[in-house]
Amino acid sequence: MPDADARRIVYLDIVRGLSILGILFVNAVAFAMPMHVYVNPALSPLGMTSADIAVWWVDEVFFTGKFITIFSMLFGVSLYLISASEPDDLPLPQRVIGRRLGWMVIFGLIHGALIWYGDILLLYAICGFVFFSWRNLGAKQLLVAGSVLYLVGNGIILWPAINDGIGVIPEPSVPLPDLLNPIIEQMGSGFTGSLSGNFAMWSQSIVNEILFYLPVTIGLMMMGLGLFKSGFFRGESRRTTYAAVIALAGVSLALIGWQAAVIIDEGFPSVRIMGLYAVANEYLSIIVSLGYVSALILIAKTDIGLKLLSPLRDAGRMAFTNYLLQSLIMTVIFYGGRAPESWGLGLYGTVGNASLVPIVVAIWVGQLLFSSLWMRAFRYGPFEWVWRCLSHQRLVAILK
């Protein structure tokens, strides 16, 4: 059984492991279809079966917005822990964390431009530079300031669609097949075609992504660190507190589920799905996220629970590696020219929501097994090790 201090860090690893797997479930459609379909599944060129609708409902209620919220909160905690061993008066460019964020910018640019346009690393790096100066605030100050940014940030995301029908992806001005078919054809073509198509989507969306999501992401990082300093993420809150959060999460899930059912009943109205009908999920996802965290911490407080959750712990310790591997695997499956023709891949635009589930589950199983085996022999995941070496400007021991 690990000592108390080590166990607190294990809680973070377990929660991070669950979040990196949950993010893939949400992102799967964006790997397999144009972003229009990610925003509104009814725009799928394949149509929607009852199974597709059911999978969308599960995704919307239990996954969308929940695991990226956890991941963002934990990123704030990680920045704090990494910087804690260095003098407070040391300038950021001279700090290990400054170099880590700098390399994260480079990784994000490479990942977004050349691998998958849905990259989150660049946004996180930029937010990290802004967040860093607030890391030493007290728990209460972080929670209050973070909550304000979170509320305002979500308002910035939702208000255009609520106010005048202008969403992230507006109603198409041309017939849907004429809009989507060229994208599908290009992304399913050879390596050069899919590479240029990915770059085009990334370059067209990255500035808006940063501008729209920077406030809410920084808010989540601040709340995450506030919850860590207050003891919640360290497993130090009362069991009744965690139980109460789980109960609130259940109520929130019910409201989000009702809203998702309304969307289905109304046939996925394009503007409302990005505005008015996204309000419950945008604002209540954080409660559901903390409910998931609470459940994991309560389970991990028992010896048998901690042992059962060890695969998630290992996946969390390799979260950067697993995130990049998800992009590499999914783009090999769906983007044209990223696998030998004899493999019969390049499936972009041909796989619906329900058919994506076994692919996602297979990747989950593979990543849990790979992470567990890797961490038996090594101290860091492969990409974590490269990142650490670059940040410390020296080779770091990797073997246990």
Side-chain angles (χ1 to χ4, degrees):
M1 176 177 173
D3 60 37
D5 289 335
R7 197 158 191 154
R8 293 185 190 110
I9 302 301
V10 169
Y11 293 152
L12 298 180
D13 291 332
I14 291 171
V15 172
R16 189 181 295 108
L18 179 68
S19 65
I20 198 64
L21 298 182
I23 286 170
L24 176 61
F25 196 95
V26 179
N27 287 344
V29 175
F31 282 110
M33 286 282 182
M35 180 55 73
H36 303 74
V37 181
Y38 173 81
V39 174
N40 187 341
L43 301 181
S44 171
L46 305 176
M48 292 192 76
T49 66
S50 57
D52 290 328
I53 294 173
V55 168
W56 177 86
W57 186 88
V58 170
D59 184 359
E60 180 74 6
V61 177
F62 295 98
F63 289 85
T64 296
K66 287 73 177 178
F67 295 102
I68 192 65
T69 292
I70 296 173
F71 208 68
S72 299
M73 289 193 288
L74 293 185
F75 188 67
V77 178
S78 297
L79 292 181
Y80 172 76
L81 293 175
I82 293 169
S83 64
S85 61
E86 297 179 308
D88 278 342
D89 59 352
L90 190 65
L92 183 57
Q94 298 178 25
R95 290 175 172 269
V96 170
I97 189 62
R99 292 191 292 273
R100 283 179 71 89
L101 290 172
W103 280 108
M104 195 175 188
V105 169
I106 295 173
F107 293 146
L109 291 171
I110 295 171
H111 179 240
L114 303 180
I115 301 175
W116 183 52
Y117 70 94
D119 168 76
I120 198 70
L121 300 176
L122 181 58
L123 171 64
Y124 273 18
I126 294 171
C127 290
F129 281 117
V130 178
F131 165 82
F132 183 77
S133 60
W134 298 327
R135 73 195 184 285
N136 289 327
L137 293 176
K140 185 176 180 179
Q141 292 172 299
L142 286 165
L143 288 170
V144 171
S147 297
V148 171
L149 279 174
Y150 178 77
L151 293 171
V152 173
N154 274 320
I156 292 172
I157 294 169
L158 292 171
W159 180 248
I162 294 174
N163 186 43
D164 57 14
I166 301 175
V168 177
I169 297 178
E171 294 275 15
S173 57
V174 298
L176 194 60
D178 294 341
L179 181 70
L180 299 184
N181 286 345
I183 300 174
I184 293 171
E185 182 178 348
Q186 181 174 22
M187 296 307 295
S189 63
F191 179 80
T192 303
S194 64
L195 183 65
S196 61
N198 181 81
F199 181 80
M201 289 188 285
W202 175 77
S203 62
Q204 292 165 11
S205 63
I206 186 61
V207 173
N208 282 339
E209 176 189 320
I210 292 171
L211 292 176
F212 272 84
Y213 287 94
L214 188 141
V216 70
T217 303
I218 294 176
L220 287 170
M221 291 166 61
M222 295 180 76
M223 284 192 285
L225 182 55
L227 289 168
F228 178 78
K229 288 186 175 184
S230 71
F232 183 87
F233 274 153
R234 300 202 301 264
E236 296 172 358
S237 296
R238 296 179 179 178
R239 291 180 182 271
T240 52
T241 299
Y242 293 118
V245 174
I246 292 171
L248 286 174
V251 175
S252 299
L253 282 170
L255 291 172
I256 296 170
W258 166 77
Q259 185 170 259
V262 171
I263 292 172
I264 293 171
D265 289 341
E266 295 191 10
F268 299 91
S270 289
V271 175
R272 288 184 178 180
I273 200 173
M274 294 182 289
L276 184 62
Y277 289 176
V279 170
N281 208 352
E282 288 291 339
Y283 283 109
L284 297 179
S285 283
I286 189 169
I287 300 175
V288 178
S289 300
L290 294 177
Y292 292 166
V293 171
S294 298
L296 286 176
I297 289 176
L298 289 179
I299 295 170
K301 279 180 174 291
T302 67
D303 290 341
I304 187 171
L306 189 63
K307 187 173 183 180
L308 289 173
L309 294 175
S310 62
L312 284 179
R313 175 202 64 200
D314 294 334
R317 290 175 177 172
M318 293 176 52
F320 183 43
T321 292
N322 282 320
Y323 175 72
L324 294 178
L325 285 178
Q326 287 173 2
S327 293
L328 291 170
I329 294 169
M330 291 295 277
T331 53
V332 164
I333 293 172
F334 293 104
Y335 283 17
R338 303 208 179 183
E341 286 189 27
S342 60
W343 290 13
L345 298 177
L347 303 177
Y348 195 86
T350 67
V351 180
N353 292 56
S355 298
L356 284 169
V357 173
I359 297 173
V360 171
V361 172
I363 294 173
W364 282 351
V365 173
Q367 292 198 309
L368 289 171
L369 290 174
F370 172 64
S371 299
S372 295
L373 291 173
W374 182 275
M375 293 307 299
R376 288 181 186 179
F378 301 100
R379 299 172 63 188
Y380 314 107
F383 285 110
E384 282 81 2
W385 177 74
V386 171
W387 193 13
R388 181 174 286 263
C389 289
L390 291 170
S391 302
H392 287 267
Q393 299 179 321
R394 61 180 173 84
L395 284 177
V396 176
I398 189 173
L399 289 172
K400 285 188 174 179

